[in-house]
Amino acid sequence: MITPTGFREYDARWKYPDDINLPGITALGLGLGTQMYRRGIEPVIAVGNDYRDYSLSIKNALMLGLMQAGIQVRDIGPALSPMAYFAQFHLDAPAVAMVTASHNPNGWTGVKMGFERPLTHGPDEMSELRDIVLNGEGVARPGGGYEFVHGVREAYLDDLVGDFRMTRPLKVVCATGNGTASAFAPELFRRMGVEVVESHNRLDYTFPHYNPNPEAMEMLHDMAASVKASGADLALGFDGDGDRCGVVDDEGEEIFADKVGVIMARDLARLYPGSTFVADVKSTGLFASDPELIKHGVTADYWKTGHSHMKRRVKELGALAGFEKSGHYFLAEPIGRGYDCGMRVAVEICKLMDRNPDKSMSDLRRALPQTWATPTMSPYAADTEKYAILDRIVGKLTTLPELAGRKVAQVVTVNGARVILDNGAWGLVRASSNTPNLVVVCESPDSEAELRQIFAELDAVIRSEPGVGDYDQTF
């Protein structure tokens, strides 16, 4: 049993066992192995799983299908998604499959996969895989095998920290929401000489406090409370599979990840002037307008949201880094390897703090030009309807002469519609690639009042579609 909508733009996600069962997962493995042979990929794959209670069963079913397809499986055990990506390099494996539902709530499962490191499947690869699986084109071949590989976790942590040690005292709230990052992040900080304030760092796949997602205000509020209670210098929080990082500063201010990206970009631009940075369409306009970045000759490129889209764009442009509002950051050579790794981001933020010993995180936040922005808000839209709904909304938005009393300067339609006003304010509507939702974000460089007006008028257009339901959060 496999529901077709589980094959998404850049990974696979299903409700389990409602939308896919274990034989369906095995068929997915057979299809993925068949795809490797079709594309001439050496038949070796690194496979990991997150800590959810059903992920091991899913991984075993997936590996069975891969072995049936004639693939040599290298099982790295429980892992973060970026540890699986690291394993591709560490083990010189041409392919990767990571069993995870990422930040989706319990009851979801999925697979993030890729062939050409550090890239992961994009729309072309996903539609090819979907056709192989749903049309029963998977081919069984001899030569499959299994090996459990020990020591990848330790090699991953060694690679992240290297010989770096803090030279200033730094006290960090480490928030993992009881997810898989609980088995990695506290040790990572201690290896760097960071004082750790533990926050929900016990592995517990029931997620008793909140679903680990550093884009959700619930998690950010909890991180802020921990900072205030402990007097920490900042809080760093990680999602369910550890490929994203969220930040709260020393004053308990929740800094949205795109603004943290600008803080990091400023620091990196001083070290690597003339760099190109890619930002997703949900991100702040500051990547293009910030005077500090302009001073260091930075080129800003706004691109499609989604970890596979962003990884590909960073590689294509030879960019130094890519930043997503969701907290996926893609740090390329010489900093990282180009894949999204929340642990790498945490290390680089600690290094940034070490390079600015006289500054707090709130100082770095206040140094940015002020803008007012919404959190990422997701109104319900069924997977089978959301793209058609979005097309109609985009059609309406592209004909708007003005929004919130301002002239529309440009509508960027690379991923949904980002309506940009004559003062640089903007509002975005796109379809979520992972869940049955639309995604809405707005920003104003002028005032909160303008921000609220942009959202109200944008929401009125969205509400003209009867298939759109309630928001998951508002502001």
Side-chain angles (χ1 to χ4, degrees):
M1 180 177 68
I2 308 172
T3 304
T5 51
F7 293 92
R8 295 170 188 271
E9 261 184 74
Y10 41 80
D11 51 37
R13 291 190 203 186
W14 290 273
K15 282 265 186 84
Y16 171 76
D18 308 353
D19 294 333
I20 195 164
N21 59 9
L22 293 177
I25 295 286
T26 299
L28 177 69
L30 179 66
L32 183 61
T34 300
Q35 187 181 30
M36 288 173 68
Y37 272 100
R38 277 194 189 177
R39 289 186 166 231
I41 309 287
E42 184 194 350
V44 179
I45 192 166
V47 182
N49 62 284
D50 69 19
Y51 185 69
R52 294 170 197 256
D53 63 334
Y54 45 85
S55 289
L56 184 58
S57 303
I58 302 285
K59 181 176 76 173
N60 287 339
L62 183 77
M63 293 191 300
L64 178 63
L66 286 162
M67 289 186 279
Q68 286 173 353
I71 307 297
Q72 290 286 328
V73 172
R74 293 185 176 168
D75 182 0
I76 62 171
L80 300 175
S81 291
M83 178 178 138
Y85 304 149
F86 166 77
Q88 270 190 286
F89 292 87
H90 181 62
L91 305 175
D92 196 22
V96 65
M98 173 67 190
V99 172
T100 179
S102 190
H103 64 275
N104 286 25
N106 270 330
W108 284 84
T109 191
V111 184
K112 292 180 176 177
M113 52 216 136
F115 295 157
E116 187 190 336
R117 61 193 178 207
L119 305 183
T120 40
H121 274 26
D124 292 347
E125 294 85 0
M126 286 307 300
S127 55
E128 179 187 51
L129 177 62
R130 180 195 62 215
D131 292 346
I132 292 170
V133 175
L134 297 182
N135 297 337
E137 295 168 13
V139 177
R141 287 181 171 86
Y146 174 87
E147 174 193 0
F148 188 90
V149 184
H150 294 275
V152 178
R153 175 184 177 276
E154 287 65 34
Y156 170 58
L157 289 171
D158 288 346
D159 182 72
L160 285 167
V161 178
D163 58 4
F164 173 70
R165 296 294 177 277
M166 295 293 301
T167 60
R168 70 176 273 186
L170 196 69
K171 185 176 180 179
V172 173
V173 171
C174 173
T176 55
N178 306 101
T180 313
S182 305
F184 295 83
E187 182 180 336
L188 178 78
F189 288 126
R190 292 190 177 105
R191 283 189 183 202
M192 291 187 287
V194 171
E195 183 185 345
V196 176
V197 178
E198 298 211 355
S199 175
H200 313 313
N201 294 160
R202 185 175 56 81
L203 283 165
D204 185 343
Y205 48 65
T206 67
F207 303 151
H209 302 286
Y210 50 74
N211 182 46
N213 175 7
E215 204 175 11
M217 298 311 292
E218 183 183 18
M219 181 170 183
L220 290 168
H221 289 341
D222 190 77
M223 288 161 62
S226 296
V227 166
K228 289 170 181 168
S230 64
D233 294 300
L234 70 156
L236 295 171
F238 307 95
D239 72 338
D241 66 332
D243 57 10
R244 295 192 296 139
C245 182
V247 179
V248 172
D249 72 18
D250 49 294
E251 295 179 352
E253 189 74 23
E254 298 141 1
I255 315 177
F256 291 149
D258 54 344
K259 293 284 182 71
V260 176
V262 178
I263 292 170
M264 290 182 74
R266 280 181 155 199
D267 183 64
L268 294 172
R270 281 191 285 272
L271 299 172
Y272 306 98
S275 294
T276 296
F277 295 115
V278 180
D280 79 318
V281 292
K282 294 195 301 183
S283 287
T284 175
L286 288 177
F287 287 103
S289 64
D290 175 45
E292 275 294 304
L293 294 180
I294 292 167
K295 185 173 89 181
H296 291 290
V298 160
T299 302
D301 178 79
Y302 284 88
W303 195 241
K304 298 174 185 175
T305 294
H307 65 91
S308 288
H309 295 310
M310 290 288 289
K311 269 179 271 220
R312 206 163 291 255
R313 189 68 169 175
V314 167
K315 187 177 184 187
E316 208 174 84
L317 297 182
L320 181 64
F323 301 100
E324 267 194 295
K325 188 179 169 70
S326 62
H328 285 276
Y329 297 157
F330 311 84
L331 301 170
E333 298 287 357
I335 307 159
R337 291 190 178 84
Y339 54 76
D340 38 340
C341 178
M343 303 296 124
R344 168 59 64 199
V345 173
V347 170
E348 296 308 316
I349 287 174
C350 290
K351 288 179 179 177
L352 181 155
M353 298 303 291
D354 208 55
R355 282 193 287 270
N356 295 274
D358 57 336
K359 295 214 167 63
S360 64
M361 183 54 83
S362 58
D363 291 335
L364 297 172
R365 166 178 58 81
R366 272 192 292 269
L368 297 180
Q370 185 166 11
T371 70
W372 289 261
T374 68
T376 302
M377 302 172 290
S378 300
Y380 177 82
D383 275 327
T384 51
E385 298 172 29
K386 66 188 180 188
Y387 290 107
I389 290 171
L390 178 68
D391 285 345
R392 292 192 293 272
I393 291 171
V394 170
K396 293 166 190 171
L397 293 177
T398 49
T399 60
L400 282 183
E402 60 173 45
L403 189 71
R406 286 195 177 272
K407 190 171 179 295
V408 173
Q410 185 188 7
V411 181
V412 177
T413 54
V414 71
N415 191 201
R418 178 166 166 145
V419 181
I420 303 171
L421 308 183
D422 58 10
N423 66 338
W426 55 273
L428 169 80
V429 187
R430 59 178 289 273
S432 168
S433 303
N434 305 321
T435 55
N437 295 101
L438 299 178
V439 175
V440 181
V441 186
C442 308
E443 182 182 48
S444 165
D446 279 9
S447 66
E448 184 176 341
E450 182 178 76
L451 174 72
R452 291 188 177 279
Q453 196 179 346
I454 291 168
F455 172 65
E457 293 186 19
L458 194 64
D459 185 53
V461 176
I462 294 165
R463 293 286 142 209
S464 68
E465 287 290 332
V468 179
D470 294 336
Y471 283 88
D472 63 334
Q473 60 180 0
T474 52
F475 70 110

